[in-house]
Amino acid sequence: MQKVILGKTGIEVSKNSFGALPIQRISKKDAVYLLQKAFYQGINYFDTARAYSDSEEKLGAAFSYIREKLIISTKTAAQTGEDLKKDLEESLRMLKTDYIDIYQFHNPAFCPKPGDGSGLYEAAEEAKKEGKIRHIGITNHRIAVAKEAIESGLYETMQFPFSYLSSEADLEIVEMCRKADMGFIAMKALAGGLIHNSACAYAFMDQPQFDHVVPIWGVQRESELDEFLSYQACPPALTEALQKEIEKDRKELSGDFCRGCGYCMPCPVGIEINNCARMSLMLRRAPQEGWLSEEWQEKMKKIEGCLNCGHCKSKCPYGLDTPELLKKNYEDYKTFL
């Protein structure tokens, strides 16, 4: 198993790490089985969040008896110091632990700092002094906030979207973290499901210039876990064939596209934006039958009721014109029916 040091934290984690957002969609029994299998096959870092419904509870059920043998990070979307303290206590309770290795601000619209009036950073510092958290990190989808967080010197880790579809601006964030000795945790290494060849994604991350990068793969099925575990024994090399596939994907997915992050949700009229706004890509990159079902036709039809309220557009961390993107995807979708 390849290991990576998470910057100035000094924490050593498996290069293959476990993103625990998807386990909220499966039963507790199945989740515990997956988590424990991952651990006993060499994965020692698991990332979750207070916002991931029962994900923390499932990690607690799987690992309370071997807590000191693994690394857990979780996140808070709190807007005030008092709410952060409440979130932290709930996370500790659900995870069945008395400390969290990396406690992260969850995609804030600004960079929390001491004295900014929110009390967020001060509350995190207090929790660190109390031993409830070991390291303070931040996650983000916004270039400006990510840069500010790195330059502030206040954070020990950065969690940011990173894959072979990333832009030059995204790559700059990765390199800034290296120079700042800041742990870099790569989320959406499969671009929210748009990348289908995990070997390509893994080989890209395994290049020497990314030896400080820790991808957290979102795992929901045992077959997915087995796929990533197999790369530990036999890491895929970035061959000419894989490079060609990467270039093909980059060409197809260049420009504005929805990454499926879901920060635009919920929609006041019930549109499942994070899938509907990228339906054109899904139809062309995955078996079509599932997306053309009666259930999905009903979901896509909801776009007709879009209020153009701008709620989704204002929340998109990538600055997309989401209402316009929904309309384009709906018109395209109808040509497949």
Side-chain angles (χ1 to χ4, degrees):
M1 168 68 78
Q2 293 170 278
K3 300 285 188 180
V4 179
I5 303 293
L6 275 174
K8 65 190 76 169
T9 68
I11 294 174
E12 187 177 61
V13 298
S14 47
K15 178 81 174 185
N16 246 352
S17 290
F18 195 113
L21 182 152
I23 63 168
Q24 65 185 316
R25 305 183 192 120
I26 60 178
S27 71
K28 188 173 183 178
K29 179 182 177 183
D30 288 344
V32 167
Y33 170 76
L34 268 187
L35 292 163
Q36 291 183 346
K37 177 173 179 175
F39 173 76
Y40 286 112
Q41 293 294 321
I43 291 176
N44 76 330
Y45 175 37
F46 299 80
D47 177 80
T48 184
R50 183 84 290 278
Y52 299 166
S53 61
D54 64 356
S55 175
E56 289 180 327
E57 181 183 355
K58 288 167 177 171
L59 261 75
F63 296 136
S64 61
Y65 69 104
I66 50 168
R67 173 66 185 93
E68 72 284 354
K69 297 179 185 288
L70 58 133
I71 304 300
I72 293 176
S73 61
T74 192
K75 315 177 189 77
T76 176
Q79 298 295 303
T80 67
E82 283 306 308
D83 285 343
L84 181 146
K85 291 176 183 178
K86 292 175 185 175
D87 268 3
L88 177 56
E89 291 304 321
E90 185 64 6
S91 289
L92 290 170
R93 187 175 74 84
M94 288 294 177
L95 289 164
K96 295 183 180 179
T97 184
D98 56 5
Y99 71 96
I100 289 162
D101 296 286
I102 305 170
Y103 198 56
Q104 305 162 106
F105 293 111
H106 197 167
N107 194 43
F110 65 100
C111 176
K113 296 178 180 178
D116 64 13
S118 70
L120 286 168
Y121 199 87
E122 291 89 340
E125 278 191 310
E126 183 181 339
K128 188 175 180 181
K129 288 175 184 174
E130 293 171 347
K132 294 179 179 179
I133 61 178
R134 293 174 61 196
H135 303 282
I136 302 172
I138 188 169
T139 82
N140 225 269
H141 291 252
R142 301 169 181 84
I143 294 286
V145 176
K147 281 188 175 180
E148 188 178 349
I150 298 166
E151 291 166 351
S152 74
L154 294 168
Y155 296 94
E156 295 173 273
T157 63
M158 165 67 67
Q159 188 173 144
F160 191 78
F162 183 55
S163 71
Y164 62 69
L165 299 177
S166 294
S167 66
E168 287 301 316
D170 298 328
L171 287 165
E172 185 183 352
I173 297 295
V174 180
E175 186 56 28
M176 284 178 70
C177 283
R178 178 197 287 278
K179 290 178 178 176
D181 195 23
M182 190 172 174
F184 187 89
I185 304 159
M187 62 167 132
K188 298 200 173 294
L190 296 176
L194 293 178
I195 293 173
H196 291 287
N197 189 332
S198 64
C200 282
Y202 190 97
F204 174 80
M205 293 280 185
D206 203 26
Q207 296 179 92
Q209 65 267 38
F210 305 134
D211 60 3
H212 65 303
V213 171
V214 177
I216 47 171
W217 309 104
V219 175
Q220 180 175 335
R221 300 176 181 87
E222 187 173 13
S223 59
E224 295 167 347
L225 176 61
D226 288 342
E227 204 168 302
F228 291 114
L229 290 174
S230 73
Y231 300 153
Q232 296 172 183
C234 188
L238 194 56
T239 60
E240 184 178 346
L242 290 186
Q243 190 63 55
K244 282 182 179 179
E245 188 164 346
I246 287 173
E247 293 306 321
K248 179 177 178 290
D249 282 352
R250 283 174 173 165
K251 185 176 181 180
E252 185 175 328
L253 295 168
S254 62
D256 291 340
F257 66 91
C258 174
R259 278 79 168 176
C261 69
Y263 287 110
C264 54
M265 303 283 278
C267 169
V269 296
I271 301 169
E272 195 173 307
I273 303 169
N274 56 330
N275 280 313
C276 293
R278 56 186 186 147
M279 183 57 72
S280 291
L281 290 170
M282 301 306 286
L283 285 169
R284 290 168 174 83
R285 298 180 63 80
Q288 294 177 1
E289 292 75 18
W291 298 108
L292 297 175
S293 66
E294 288 186 17
E295 179 186 1
W296 269 105
Q297 288 181 47
E298 286 299 314
K299 288 182 178 183
M300 290 298 290
K301 190 173 176 61
K302 286 185 179 181
I303 295 173
E304 294 177 1
C306 175
L307 302 173
N308 287 299
C309 63
H311 175 83
C312 53
K313 184 177 178 179
S314 68
K315 286 197 165 188
C316 179
Y318 300 98
L320 299 177
D321 186 344
T322 315
E324 185 61 28
L325 201 56
L326 284 168
K327 290 172 188 172
K328 286 180 179 177
N329 274 265
Y330 185 42
E331 290 305 312
D332 183 49
Y333 184 76
K334 288 186 285 187
T335 68
F336 284 81
L337 299 177

